[in-house]
């Protein structure tokens, strides 16, 4: 749609100024008299079309032959065009005299070009309010809600579930007045009941025809054809069996699978283990949990202790925080800790920025905020981008021991596990202690075993005696 109309009128002769003045007055009666000159002149009028805008802007400029358009006018022209485009993009598209509003896919992020329309949260005929989610779009990283731009009644769905959509794609139409829109809930039941009758009617008519013609013209081969058109280019499809069902993978699950396999193919991964006595850290939390909640408004957990221990270990062994890039090694002078969070839709890894400058309370608040967003599906791309080191806590699910996989483009990942009371020898005596196995998987191309063991040993020392953090020893 053109945002402006360009009219150029070239006049010559002695009556040029009179014709220009009459032309401008007929278009802008209230405007002041434009500048004129005796040379042949060109008049340029730009005015955006009134549809979708509450006002009309006029620009006039007189250009003599051999003169170029001033840079100020060009800047004004470009700024008006960009402002109009932004205004149109942010507003819903209207039709039918402004009663119908088109619902389009919003901007999904700089690195996301398309997504899959997972499901509609509403039905045609349902009333929705402004900014109320009506559909969900799954991308490679997050799930995005498509919100209603206006309050009204859903008239129809244009897109279908499972389709690939891009930003700006029309998915639904909303009637602001609700006129002519009937609620579809009861009609769905009627159509479902009437469907068998409609299918049986043609069959009865076919039976009235000669049986010789109807016998070979069965539709069974047609229904089997689509099933045979789904060969996989990478893996052979297994033949169907009883009590099995085939469900397409979500885009997030596909992305996770691709990244994990790429990590396995790229890194020379090696895992080293150690065990940690959790007695002192658990006692610290038990002694100060009430005072901590009263002052900071958040519970004191174990994750903040391990994040602080990881920061101390990364500062002592900077190579763990580095990464290989081509023939170079990139050393990071900051610590952004990624926390692996398992959600019903897949694994996401939000990032705690500048964890080296945060205290226990700030870390706990950030973890709670990111975990809630991840489970609700409202976490953004920026909150998961980057990260220089990852901590994965499989202990919340009861995992006793595991070998975590590196999260590229990082070089190491720390795995936490469940706390189990085991008999330990302390001072020559066998006593029960709450113990946890910890694992560090690292890229052996960059990190030697010496640095990996020292790092894991630092984690053990700090967790077993948190006073080391205060004394920096």
């Amino acid at each position: 749609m053109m945002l402006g109309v360009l009219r150029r009128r070239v006049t010559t002769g002695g009556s040029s100024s009179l014709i220009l003045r009459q032309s401008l007055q007929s278009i802008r009666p209230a405007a002041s008299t434009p500048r004129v000159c005796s040379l042949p002149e060109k008049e340029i009028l730009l005015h955006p079309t009134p549809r979708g805008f509450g006002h009309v802007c006029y620009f006039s400029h007189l250009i003599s032959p051999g003169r170029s358009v001033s840079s100020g006018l060009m800047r004004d022209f470009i700024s008006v065009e960009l402002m109009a485009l932004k205004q149109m993009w942010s507003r819903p598209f209207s039709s039918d005299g402004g009663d119908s509003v088109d619902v389009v896919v919003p901007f999904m992020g700089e690195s996301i070009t398309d997504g899959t329309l997972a499901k509609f949260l509403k039905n045609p005929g349902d009333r929705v309010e402004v900014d109320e989610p009506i559909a969900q779009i799954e991308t490679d990283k997050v799930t995005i809600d498509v919100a209603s731009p206006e309050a009204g009644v859903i008239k129809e769905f244009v897109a279908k579930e499972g389709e690939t959509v891009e930003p700006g794609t029309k998915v639904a139409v909303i009637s602001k007045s609700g006129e002519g829109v009937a609620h579809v809930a009861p009609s769905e039941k009627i159509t479902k009941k009437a469907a068998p009758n409609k299918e049986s009617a043609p069959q009865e008519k076919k039976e009235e025809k000669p049986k010789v013609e109807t016998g070979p013209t069965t539709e069974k081969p047609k229904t089997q054809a689509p099933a045979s058109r789904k060969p996989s280019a990478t893996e052979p499809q297994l033949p169907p069996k009883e009590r099995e069902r085939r469900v397409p993978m979500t885009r997030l699950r596909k992305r996770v699978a691709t990244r994990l396999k790429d990590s396995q193919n790229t890194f020379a991964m090696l895992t080293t283990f150690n065990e940690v006595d959790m007695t002192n850290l658990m006692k610290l939390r038990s002694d100060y949990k009430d005072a901590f909640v009263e002052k900071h408004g958040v519970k004191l957990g174990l994750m903040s202790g391990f994040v602080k221990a990881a920061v101390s270990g990364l500062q002592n062994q900077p190579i763990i925080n580095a990464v290989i890039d081509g023939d170079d090694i990139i050393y990071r002078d900051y610590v952004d800790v990624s926390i692996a969070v398992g959600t019903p839709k897949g694994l996401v890894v939000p990032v705690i920025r500048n964890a080296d400058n945060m205290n226990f309370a700030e870390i706990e608040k950030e973890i709670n905020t990111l975990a809630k967003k991840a489970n609700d599906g409202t976490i953004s791309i920026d909150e998961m981008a980057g990260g220089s080191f990852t901590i994965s806590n499989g202990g919340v699910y009861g995992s006793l021991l595991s070998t975590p996989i590196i999260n590229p483009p990082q070089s190491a990942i720390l795995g936490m596990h469940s706390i189990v009371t085991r008999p330990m020898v302390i001072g020559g005596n066998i006593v029960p202690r709450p113990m946890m196995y910890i694992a560090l998987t690292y890229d052996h191309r960059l990190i030697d075993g010496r640095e990996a063991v020292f790092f894991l040993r630092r984690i053990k020392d700090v967790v077993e005696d948190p006073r080391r953090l205060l004394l920096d020893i």
Side-chain angles (χ1 to χ4, degrees), residues 52 73 86 91 170 172 193 234 260 310 322 332 392 418 457:
L73 176 65
K86 182 179 180 181
R91 293 187 55 186
K170 178 179 174 182
K193 293 179 181 179
T234 57
L260 291 178
R332 302 182 176 106
S392 176
S418 60
R457 182 69 191 184

Side-chain angles (χ1 to χ4, degrees), residues 111-133:
S111 60
I112 301 177
T113 58
D114 57 18
T116 301
L117 183 57
K119 63 178 179 179
F120 286 104
L121 305 178
K122 300 290 182 178
N123 296 319
D126 290 350
R127 176 165 291 278
V128 293
E129 301 297 332
V130 179
D131 295 332
E132 183 177 358

Side-chain angles (χ1 to χ4, degrees), residues 160-389:
K160 297 180 181 180
E161 293 183 357
E163 289 185 353
T164 300
V165 293
E166 300 177 353
T169 303
K170 178 179 174 182
V171 296
V173 178
I174 292 178
S175 175
K176 292 187 288 185
S177 64
E179 297 179 358
V181 181
H183 201 283
V184 79
S187 62
E188 282 183 351
K189 297 178 181 178
I190 296 174
T191 52
K192 289 179 180 179
K193 293 179 181 179
N197 297 331
K198 292 180 180 179
E199 293 178 357
S200 60
Q203 292 178 358
E204 292 176 357
K205 292 181 181 179
K206 289 180 181 180
E207 290 176 358
E208 293 178 359
K209 296 180 181 180
K211 295 182 180 180
V212 179
E213 297 179 1
T214 58
T217 58
T218 58
E219 297 182 356
K220 291 183 179 179
K222 294 182 180 180
T223 57
Q224 295 175 356
S228 61
R229 294 177 185 177
K230 296 181 180 179
S232 175
T234 57
E235 298 180 1
Q237 284 203 356
L238 300 176
K241 296 181 180 180
E242 294 182 0
R243 293 178 294 177
E244 288 185 352
R245 52 194 176 94
R246 186 181 297 271
V247 179
M249 293 176 64
T250 62
R251 294 176 69 98
L252 180 59
R253 175 55 59 188
K254 290 180 182 178
R255 181 61 176 170
V256 170
T258 301
R259 285 179 60 85
L260 291 178
K261 190 58 183 176
D262 291 343
S263 174
Q264 193 178 43
N265 295 337
T266 302
F267 299 117
M269 288 189 290
L270 186 63
T271 305
T272 183
F273 303 92
N274 211 322
E275 58 181 359
V276 179
D277 187 350
M278 300 293 295
T279 301
N280 291 332
L281 185 60
M282 293 176 67
K283 186 177 185 302
L284 177 68
R285 183 179 67 169
S286 177
D287 292 343
Y288 296 100
K289 61 180 182 181
D290 295 334
F292 193 87
V293 172
E294 183 179 354
K295 181 176 181 179
H296 301 290
V298 64
K299 293 182 179 180
L300 177 61
L302 298 178
M303 281 299 299
S304 57
F306 274 90
V307 171
K308 295 291 290 184
V311 169
S312 178
L314 293 172
Q315 292 173 342
N316 289 348
Q317 302 294 331
I319 194 66
I320 308 292
N321 203 39
V323 67
I324 294 177
D325 185 20
D327 295 332
D328 302 325
I329 299 176
I330 300 177
Y331 286 91
R332 302 182 176 106
D333 296 329
Y334 59 90
V335 179
D336 289 347
V337 179
S338 303
I339 305 295
V341 179
T343 66
K345 296 182 179 179
L347 181 68
V348 295
V349 190
V351 180
I352 302 175
R353 309 286 180 188
N354 299 317
D356 50 328
N357 298 326
M358 302 173 70
N359 56 30
F360 281 81
E362 292 172 339
I363 293 174
E364 290 290 349
K365 291 178 181 178
E366 188 69 10
I367 290 176
N368 290 343
T369 300
L370 295 174
K372 187 177 184 301
K373 288 183 178 181
N375 289 319
D376 294 342
T378 58
I379 193 168
S380 65
I381 301 297
D382 295 336
E383 290 172 322
M384 295 189 296
S388 58
F389 183 77

Side-chain angles (χ1 to χ4, degrees), residues 104 106 121 132-137 143-147 345 376-378:
V104 299
L121 305 178
E132 183 177 358
I134 65 173
Q136 288 184 340
I137 297 177
T143 300
I144 299 174
D145 290 335
V146 179
K345 296 182 179 179
D376 294 342
T378 58

